[in-house]
Amino acid sequence: MARLVQSDVHVDKVLTAFSVGYQNTMYVAGKVFPTVTMDKESDVYFKYDRGDAFRDVARERAAATDAVDVGMNVSTATVSTKEYANRTFISRRTIENADKPLNLLQDHTAFLLDKLDLAKEVKFAADFMVTGKWETTKTLSGTSQWSDHALSDPLGDIDVGVEAVIDGIGQPPNVGIITRAVWSKLKRHPDLLDAVKYTQQGGMISLAQLAALTDIPTWYVAGAIKTSSNEGATDTTAGIFGKTVLLLYVPPTPGLRTPAAGYTFAREAKTIKRWYDNGKEAEAVQASENYGMEIVAKEAGYLFLTAVA
């Protein structure tokens, strides 16, 4: 005798309360450098001579004599922006046949905007988290690496970096960027845990405690990942930043006669354009951003490479 089975009484439907997606949540490139708005894609800025700023030239003046003559030198430097963009086409028929909760135009717009953020993150890592960019780059190795919890001295190393920035620009760094690989080791370092042992319970410190221990008020963990494998191949993802730590001084906002490690020069903020392509019978969505990120005072940064093994 035939009996009913599950497939006879139930037709699978799309669940509309959730869907599964992926997105980086640990971007830092858009948070670090203050933004300077530009009208054109290239311009110049004035830069006062650093040596002049810290040279001791005022002298005692006797009665009825001239004061000592001093001078201040100013130079210019060029900055430029470039446009970064990506687009997609979604056929009308695909849009009309999509089931809820899919919202193809909204989903693709968010996807394209995120690609701009990812490109900025990759560029920041390639341009500023490598040797030769800042006044000082310190490569840690062996027992000096912070993953050696017995012999390394991370707070001492950071103090050296802080002092180097002060010696370079007259004020300490106020921003630290620490990569996820480094933070996973540093937050469990016994030297740091010992320093907070009377106020901390648990086996790791927080970013707020790191800020208090280093006198660097703002710390960002750079943890974004990217896919290195080609489309269609098995996904291979990895962190963008490696094992680096960067100490910086950046002002809260751009200002006159103010040192800064770097700025983001913005010609055009993120822009979304949509149009209908009659030939393809498809909705076109394009995301773009026009900007440049530049170091303007290399003395305002101190970089650690291979901070952990």
Side-chain angles (χ1 to χ4, degrees):
M1 177 180 175
R3 296 184 183 274
L4 292 174
V5 295
Q6 181 176 327
S7 59
D8 295 325
V9 297
H10 173 72
V11 177
D12 288 348
K13 297 179 181 178
V14 175
L15 299 175
T16 59
F18 79 99
S19 60
V20 178
Y22 304 91
Q23 185 175 350
N24 276 303
T25 60
M26 302 176 75
Y27 288 136
V28 299
K31 302 175 182 178
V32 179
F33 292 162
T35 299
V36 176
T37 302
M38 294 177 59
D39 295 326
K40 306 294 182 181
E41 291 193 358
S42 66
D43 267 317
V44 299
Y45 64 92
F46 289 111
K47 187 170 185 177
Y48 295 90
D49 185 82
R50 187 172 68 98
D52 290 345
F54 301 113
R55 187 169 292 110
D56 176 21
V57 292
R59 295 291 181 266
E60 180 181 338
R61 183 177 71 87
T65 63
D66 292 331
V68 63
D69 288 333
V70 300
M72 183 171 60
N73 295 295
V74 180
S75 59
T76 59
T78 300
V79 294
S80 61
T81 68
K82 294 181 180 179
E83 183 177 292
Y84 300 83
N86 53 175
R87 70 178 185 180
T88 191
F89 292 90
I90 316 165
S91 75
R92 171 185 57 81
R93 292 161 60 187
T94 301
I95 293 173
E96 291 173 352
N97 282 280
D99 288 327
K100 293 182 179 179
L102 295 177
N103 185 328
L104 296 184
L105 288 174
Q106 178 178 306
D107 293 346
H108 280 79
T109 298
F111 179 78
L112 296 177
L113 288 171
D114 185 66
K115 291 302 177 191
L116 295 179
D117 289 336
L118 180 58
K120 182 178 288 186
E121 202 78 356
V122 171
K123 180 174 176 55
F124 190 96
D127 288 353
F128 309 125
M129 306 289 280
V130 294
T131 188
K133 300 295 184 176
W134 302 100
E135 182 71 8
T136 305
T137 298
K138 175 69 173 179
T139 300
L140 301 181
S141 62
T143 58
S144 69
Q145 291 177 298
W146 301 344
S147 48
D148 189 323
H149 286 179
L151 297 175
S152 65
D153 182 16
L155 291 177
D157 292 335
I158 291 173
D159 282 345
V160 170
V162 169
E163 290 300 316
V165 173
I166 295 173
D167 286 343
I169 65 169
Q171 51 192 309
N174 58 356
V175 172
I177 302 172
I178 184 168
T179 65
R180 182 167 46 91
V182 179
W183 179 233
S184 67
K185 302 291 186 181
L186 185 63
K187 65 186 178 182
R188 295 179 173 87
H189 198 287
D191 286 4
L192 278 69
L193 291 174
D194 185 65
V196 300
K197 62 185 177 183
Y198 297 113
T199 59
Q200 167 73 13
Q201 292 186 354
M204 63 185 72
I205 69 164
S206 66
L207 285 177
Q209 289 171 320
L210 179 62
L213 291 173
T214 59
D215 288 329
I216 299 174
T218 301
W219 282 89
Y220 297 113
V221 177
I225 64 173
K226 71 170 183 176
T227 302
S228 58
S229 52
N230 294 326
E231 186 174 358
T234 301
D235 288 340
T236 301
T237 58
I240 294 170
F241 285 89
K243 302 172 181 179
T244 55
V245 177
L246 180 59
L247 311 180
L248 301 168
Y249 175 79
V250 289
T253 58
L256 299 177
R257 295 183 61 191
T258 301
Y263 285 114
T264 296
F265 297 93
R267 171 67 178 85
E268 185 179 67
K270 289 178 185 172
T271 301
I272 291 292
K273 294 180 181 178
R274 278 184 51 189
W275 68 93
Y276 189 76
D277 189 297
N278 289 308
K280 289 183 173 68
E281 292 188 346
E283 292 284 349
V285 184
Q286 177 174 294
S288 63
E289 185 176 12
N290 193 309
Y291 67 92
M293 296 182 291
E294 299 281 350
I295 294 173
V296 297
K298 65 179 183 178
E299 302 84 6
Y302 189 101
L303 177 67
F304 294 97
L305 294 180
T306 60
V308 297

